[in-house]
C-alpha cells in the first residue's frame, strides 16, 4: 500500500522526467537474478525494518545504488547501534547503556539515576519507550516484561539518560547532506511523537542544527533522514536523540510548507543520472 508520502514522491520523481516503477519485495526476484535490466537507483521505503535492510543489501550486491544504503538503514533501525556509532564518532547523544538482562537494566539505572528511559532497540512512533521515575516504576516495568517475555528474547534493550525537554523536540529532514526543514514537535506529554498527537511547528535551521546534521551524515553517508534532536531544558545543550532512515513527510509538509518530495526527487534524479540511465525504482 502506498502511503501519501510515496504518492507525493512518485509525482515529484515523474516531474523530473524519470521512469519510475513501484516494487514490492517479490518484484526484486527478476532484478537480483539478473534477468532484467537493473534500475539506476532504488529508493528504499519499506515500512518493515527487516525488509528494508534485506532489499537494500540484495540490490547493492547486484550493483544497484540504494537510498538509503543498507548500512545506514541497519544503523537507523537499531537505536542501540546508533548509540554505539554516535559514541565512537563523537556525535552528542544521551548517555546510553545496552542491557541484556533485567539485572543489567537495574545496574544501568543505578548508574544513570532517576528518571531514566528504557526503550526497545528497534521500534517506531514511541512504542515501548518507558520513563522510569523510581524503583516502583522499574519493578513494574520488569514485572510486565517478565510476564510477556519470560524467556528474555526481547533483549537487548537500551537504557538511556532522561533529557528534560522544553516542551518539544526537533525533527530535521535531511536530503543528501542538506537539512531542508526543521520542525518543533510540541506536546505536554514527555514523548513528543506526532503519532501520539504532538503539534508541528516550523523552526529555524540554526548553525548548531546544521553542525549536528553534518556529523550524522558523516557517520551514515549521504541519504534521506529524519534527524531527531533534543535540547536539555536546563543547559540548552542540543543532542541527537535518534535518526530515522524512512521519515514520513506528507502530513508535516502540509503544515510547514516545504516541498520535501520535490527536494528529495531532485536529489534522487541527480543520483540516478550519475549512472546515465533515466530510470528509478
Amino acid at each position: 500500500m502506498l502511503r501519501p508520502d510515496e504518492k507525493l514522491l512518485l509525482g515529484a520523481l515523474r516531474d523530473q522526467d524519470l521512469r519510475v516503477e513501484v516494487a514490492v519485495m517479490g518484484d526484486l526476484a527478476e532484478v537480483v537474478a539478473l534477468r532484467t535490466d537493473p534500475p539506476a537507483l532504488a529508493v528504499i521505503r519499506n515500512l518493515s525494518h527487516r525488509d528494508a535492510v534485506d532489499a537494500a543489501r540484495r540490490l547493492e550486491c547486484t550493483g544497484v545504488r540504494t537510498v538509503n544504503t543498507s548500512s545506514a538503514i541497519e544503523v537507523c533501525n537499531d537505536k542501540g547501534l546508533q548509540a554505539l556509532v554516535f559514541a565512537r564518532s563523537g556525535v552528542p547523544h544521551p548517555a546510553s547503556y545496552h542491557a541484556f538482562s533485567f539485572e543489567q537494566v537495574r545496574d544501568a539505572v543505578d548508574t544513570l539515576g532517576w528518571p531514566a528511559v528504557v526503550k526497545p532497540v528497534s521500534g517506531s512512533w514511541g512504542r515501548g519507550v518507558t520513563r522510569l521515575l523510581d524503583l516502583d516504576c522499574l519493578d513494574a516495568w520488569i514485572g510486565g516484561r517478565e510476564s510477556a517475555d519470560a524467556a528474555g528474547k526481547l533483549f537487548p534493550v537500551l537504557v538511556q539518560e532522561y533529557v528534560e525537554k522544553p516542551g518539544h523536540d526537533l525533527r530535521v529532514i535531511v536530503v543528501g547532506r542538506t537539512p531542508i526543514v526543521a520542525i518543533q514537535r510540541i506536546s505536554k506529554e514527555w514523548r513528543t511523537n506526532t503519532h501520539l498527537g504532538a503539534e508541528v511547528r516550523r523552526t529555524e535551521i540554526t548553525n548548531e542544527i546544521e553542525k549536528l546534521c553534518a556529523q550524522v551524515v558523516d557517520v551514515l553517508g549521504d541519504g534521506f533522514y529524519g534527524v531527531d534532536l533534543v535540547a536539555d531544558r536546563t543547559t540548552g545543550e542540543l543532542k541527537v536523540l535518534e535518526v530515522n532512515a524512512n521519515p514520513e513527510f506528507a502530513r508535516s509538509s502540509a503544515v510547514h510548507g516545504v516541498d520535501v518530495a520535490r527536494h528529495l526527487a531532485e536529489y534522487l534524479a541527480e543520483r540516478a543520472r550519475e549512472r546515465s540511465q533515466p530510470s528509478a525504482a
Side-chain angles (χ1 to χ4, degrees):
M1 187 178 78
L2 291 181
R3 296 173 295 176
D5 311 78
E6 282 72 52
K7 292 178 181 178
L8 288 175
L9 181 56
L10 281 170
L13 285 168
R14 288 167 178 152
D15 287 343
Q16 296 292 319
D17 294 324
L18 292 168
R19 181 170 60 85
V20 188
E21 296 179 11
V22 179
V24 295
M25 292 297 287
D27 298 325
L28 301 183
E30 293 294 309
V31 178
V32 300
L34 304 179
R35 289 194 292 259
T36 186
D37 290 336
L41 188 73
V43 185
I44 309 298
R45 292 290 295 175
N46 304 66
L47 272 176
S48 163
H49 291 178
R50 182 183 64 183
D51 286 352
V53 173
D54 191 50
R57 281 179 178 159
R58 295 180 193 282
L59 287 166
E60 287 169 349
C61 284
T62 63
V64 176
R65 183 173 183 176
T66 67
V67 177
N68 291 312
T69 65
S70 62
S71 59
I73 295 169
E74 184 175 22
V75 171
C76 289
N77 287 351
D78 190 312
K79 298 175 178 63
L81 293 182
Q82 288 188 47
L84 295 176
V85 298
F86 290 162
R88 187 181 67 187
S89 304
V91 177
H93 182 67
S96 304
Y97 295 91
H98 281 72
F100 294 83
S101 67
F102 295 118
E103 191 57 39
Q104 288 183 359
V105 172
R106 292 186 185 276
D107 291 342
V109 172
D110 283 344
T111 301
L112 291 168
W114 308 108
V117 174
V118 61
K119 57 179 67 173
V121 293
S122 181
S124 302
W125 306 317
R127 290 177 299 196
V129 181
T130 304
R131 181 174 56 172
L132 306 174
L133 299 175
D134 52 31
L135 189 57
D136 287 341
C137 283
L138 175 56
D139 288 340
W141 181 85
I142 290 176
R145 276 294 290 262
E146 283 180 326
S147 65
D149 181 32
K153 292 183 178 181
L154 297 180
F155 283 105
V157 296
L158 200 66
V159 186
Q160 200 167 68
E161 73 169 305
Y162 174 69
V163 179
E164 183 71 41
K165 295 177 282 192
H168 67 267
D169 68 0
L170 300 173
R171 162 62 64 91
V172 187
I173 298 296
V174 174
V175 176
R177 295 190 60 87
T178 305
I180 61 168
V181 65
I183 60 172
Q184 293 180 344
R185 298 186 297 189
I186 305 164
S187 176
K188 294 180 181 179
E189 304 297 327
W190 71 277
R191 292 182 298 177
T192 48
N193 305 74
T194 54
H195 277 78
L196 299 178
E199 175 190 349
V200 170
R201 182 183 301 163
R202 186 174 176 180
T203 190
E204 177 189 4
I205 299 175
T206 63
N207 291 336
E208 186 178 11
I209 289 174
E210 287 185 344
K211 179 181 177 181
L212 288 173
C213 290
Q215 288 180 272
V216 167
V217 176
D218 285 343
V219 172
L220 299 176
D222 294 11
F224 180 53
Y225 304 109
V227 181
D228 293 344
L229 307 176
V230 60
D232 188 295
R233 188 185 200 116
T234 303
T235 66
E237 181 184 7
L238 204 58
K239 296 181 179 181
V240 178
L241 186 60
E242 60 186 65
V243 182
N244 190 315
N246 188 14
E248 297 174 339
F249 53 86
R251 286 191 299 177
S252 59
S253 288
V255 176
H256 57 61
V258 175
D259 192 345
V260 174
R262 179 181 62 81
H263 282 278
L264 179 56
E266 290 173 352
Y267 168 75
L268 295 172
E270 290 179 10
R271 302 289 79 78
R273 286 167 182 147
E274 289 172 358
R275 305 295 288 267
S276 301
Q277 296 183 28
S279 65

